[in-house]
Amino acid sequence: MESKKKKKALLGDIAGIGCGVLVLVMALLININANAGKTASVKASEIPAEAVTVVGTAEGRNGDISVEITADENNLYRIKILDEEETDGIGSLALKQLPGAILDAQNVQVDNISGATITSEAVKTAIYNALKDSGIKPATFGASLVKIVNTAKKVETGSGITVMKATDWAEEYPEIYESYMKNAENRGQEDYVEEYPMIKTLYDGYGFAKYYDSARGHMYVIDDVTSTGRPHALANCWTCKVPEFTAMVNEMGDAAYQMKFEDVQQNINEPLNCYNCHANEPGENTITHTYLINGVGEDFDQIDAANLACGQCHNEYYFDPESKATTLPHNSLASMSPDDILAYYNDFKGTGEQFSDYTNPNTGVKQIKVQHPELETYLGEGSVHRNKFTCADCHMGDAVAEDGTVYKSHYLISPLDNEDLIKNTCSECHTDLEGQVRAIQAGVMARETEIGNKLEAFHNKLADAVAGGNYSEEELDAIRDVLRSAQFYWDFVFVENSEGAHNSALTKQCLDKSEALIEQGMAMFK
């Protein structure tokens, strides 16, 4: 009997061990299966010793996605998905299929996996970041931070071009001409000075404190620039307003900016027209504003022509104190961030001196007046759409002529007003795009007012300190620097026309920094 019991116990132990091994094997198989396809690689013997291995990260649908690559300047050898939290059966499909597809193509611009657009784009962005960090040019493998389908031409300067009017093209392109003329329907304006009374204090010492209306359709730029309550001493105020002045700059150089405003006005025929984006060659995207060409530098061919065309006017700029030329405070995609722009203004051209548009007469703060930084915001860090859509994709809908020809409408509208776009494109990721955008904008506008009021209180506190005489200039200058930065970050959001919709992450960061700086500055008073 004893021997039978021992045999049964032994058999039970063997069975238990067998089950345990089976469970372990199954677990290993499941783990292997879960990671199958998340790594694509050539044979280890084919990877040269000089190839580098580096990790890049980007935000996916459910969290950050980390991708490890092994590459050199000519080839991608290995792509491995590391950390990720994407949805099984949806985002996970992109994680399994993209590494192999990208490795085979040796190009990041393979098709996204259907139903997993956000995850697909995150993988591509992570690879871009890895390539950039490794010192390898991302463009070698078609990688870009921003969507790039069509590259633009650069205007030929000194060529003596006579600007053709929009009407000159009306017969050849009747639908496009008609769609452009519809921009006259956008005629409403808001009085920001009345709506945001704190700017009388924030912009004191500058024309915007007295007269500041919201933008409207491009057809009204001449009326708006000539009827404004802000004085115009020089012709540089015509920048981005009329094609004739743009052509003058391209012919004369910086001397055109130094002419009198009224002298240029005599040669004005019409507002923005075909020349600004096409240089008398409809169908060709030509960047005619040379300051933008300089403002993106070597990244010119890494930004889609549509973004560059719109970015010619929708950007942060300043007038150079010496040449009076319109100038952008950056020279690449990487230097477009608000932090880098502020650093540029704080150490203007490496002189150690601060650039300022005006000095507040009550506080002595050398203020920066930010202009409409749509380009810098949309292409900036945190933008979830910059590598998927261009300005034209969202604001210039497809239209169909009577003969069936599809063309880009030049009637510039909000994507929320384009039902076809929302139904056929935006709905892939957004079940209620309008509701989501309106919520973002409402939150941003509320914070703009809240922080603007805090800035006004900061200004008043500093003005009292200046008048009171109880602070040294050294103490006052320290507070002035904090106020200067706080207002810069607030203004970067306040004057950007999407109210957070272009890049809600960057918008939040700017407002957070402004608020934190205000608290820091208020604590510096005795």
Side-chain angles (χ1 to χ4, degrees), residues 310-477:
C310 296
Q312 294 182 109
C313 299
H314 294 268
N315 57 61
E316 157 59 4
Y317 69 91
Y318 68 95
F319 293 141
D320 185 87
E322 296 182 1
S323 68
K324 309 305 179 185
T326 303
T327 311
L328 304 192
H330 49 73
N331 57 13
S332 65
L333 269 171
S335 60
M336 283 185 185
S337 74
D339 292 344
D340 287 331
I341 292 173
L342 179 59
Y344 174 90
Y345 285 140
N346 284 342
D347 181 19
F348 188 55
K349 295 183 177 181
T351 63
E353 300 294 324
Q354 291 182 340
F355 168 85
S356 63
D357 289 293
Y358 66 102
T359 299
N360 188 293
N362 301 307
T363 63
V365 177
K366 296 178 179 180
Q367 299 283 183
I368 304 162
K369 178 65 192 79
V370 183
Q371 309 297 331
H372 30 68
E374 282 82 54
L375 177 73
E376 293 83 359
T377 298
Y378 183 64
L379 299 186
E381 188 75 25
S383 174
V384 297
H385 294 123
R386 63 180 177 176
N387 58 355
K388 306 179 185 68
F389 303 108
T390 67
C391 304
D393 291 333
C394 297
H395 294 283
M396 300 174 67
D398 290 334
V400 182
E402 291 184 2
D403 63 1
T405 302
V406 177
Y407 66 95
K408 277 290 183 186
S409 171
H410 283 52
Y411 177 39
L412 308 173
I413 61 174
S414 164
L416 299 182
D417 296 327
N418 189 332
E419 294 182 3
D420 288 339
L421 179 70
I422 291 176
K423 178 181 178 181
N424 299 317
T425 302
C426 306
S427 61
E428 290 185 16
C429 301
H430 303 277
T431 56
D432 180 16
L433 178 65
E434 181 170 5
Q436 185 177 355
V437 170
R438 297 303 184 204
I440 290 171
Q441 292 177 326
V444 167
M445 287 188 286
R447 288 201 72 195
E448 283 174 348
T449 300
E450 177 188 1
I451 296 173
N453 288 331
K454 290 181 178 181
L455 274 171
E456 183 179 25
F458 192 176
H459 270 271
N460 291 336
K461 188 84 170 178
L462 179 54
D464 290 342
V466 171
N470 296 320
Y471 291 79
S472 67
E473 277 302 305
E474 184 177 355
E475 290 172 321
L476 291 173
D477 283 343

Side-chain angles (χ1 to χ4, degrees), residues 168-189:
D168 295 334
W169 302 104
E171 184 174 349
E172 187 173 352
Y173 302 97
E175 293 88 2
I176 292 178
Y177 175 77
E178 182 180 356
S179 68
Y180 176 71
M181 296 303 292
K182 279 177 65 67
N183 287 297
E185 296 176 4
N186 178 11
R187 59 174 63 91
Q189 283 187 295

Side-chain angles (χ1 to χ4, degrees), residues 125-336:
T125 302
I127 293 175
Y128 171 91
N129 290 333
L131 289 167
K132 184 178 178 182
D133 289 345
S134 70
I136 298 171
K137 291 183 178 180
T140 304
F141 305 104
S144 175
L145 270 179
V146 299
K147 180 179 179 179
I148 171 68
V149 175
N150 300 308
T151 55
K153 294 170 60 178
K154 298 179 182 180
V155 69
E156 182 181 350
T157 57
S159 55
I161 290 177
T162 298
V163 175
M164 298 181 67
K165 297 181 180 180
T167 52
D168 295 334
W169 302 104
E171 184 174 349
E172 187 173 352
Y173 302 97
E175 293 88 2
I176 292 178
Y177 175 77
E178 182 180 356
S179 68
Y180 176 71
M181 296 303 292
K182 279 177 65 67
N183 287 297
E185 296 176 4
N186 178 11
R187 59 174 63 91
Q189 283 187 295
E190 299 175 68
D191 183 345
Y192 286 154
V193 179
E194 180 179 346
E195 187 174 352
Y196 298 92
M198 78 283 289
I199 67 176
K200 296 176 184 178
T201 300
L202 307 190
Y203 298 153
D204 195 4
Y206 209 47
F208 284 92
K210 299 178 180 179
Y211 189 97
Y212 190 9
D213 283 354
S214 63
R216 56 178 175 166
H218 290 175
M219 306 301 295
Y220 297 101
V221 290
I222 295 177
D223 294 339
D224 291 345
V225 75
T226 54
S227 64
T228 177
R230 301 190 297 272
H232 300 297
L234 298 177
N236 53 16
C237 290
W238 285 109
T239 300
C240 282
K241 302 297 188 294
V242 290
E244 287 87 0
F245 182 66
T246 301
M248 289 176 65
V249 172
N250 291 333
E251 182 65 21
M252 299 171 57
D254 289 351
Y257 292 112
Q258 300 163 18
M259 295 175 65
K260 291 183 179 180
F261 182 84
E262 294 78 9
D263 290 345
V264 171
Q265 187 174 355
Q266 298 174 10
N267 300 311
I268 300 304
N269 294 309
E270 63 181 359
L272 292 174
N273 71 8
C274 314
Y275 174 82
N276 291 88
C277 299
H278 303 289
N280 291 347
E281 295 183 70
E284 290 281 351
N285 284 115
T286 301
I287 303 308
T288 56
H289 297 68
T290 52
Y291 56 79
L292 177 71
I293 296 172
N294 296 331
V296 297
E298 294 183 358
D299 288 328
F300 184 89
D301 291 333
Q302 291 301 305
I303 305 173
D304 194 86
N307 285 337
L308 290 173
C310 296
Q312 294 182 109
C313 299
H314 294 268
N315 57 61
E316 157 59 4
Y317 69 91
Y318 68 95
F319 293 141
D320 185 87
E322 296 182 1
S323 68
K324 309 305 179 185
T326 303
T327 311
L328 304 192
H330 49 73
N331 57 13
S332 65
L333 269 171
S335 60
M336 283 185 185

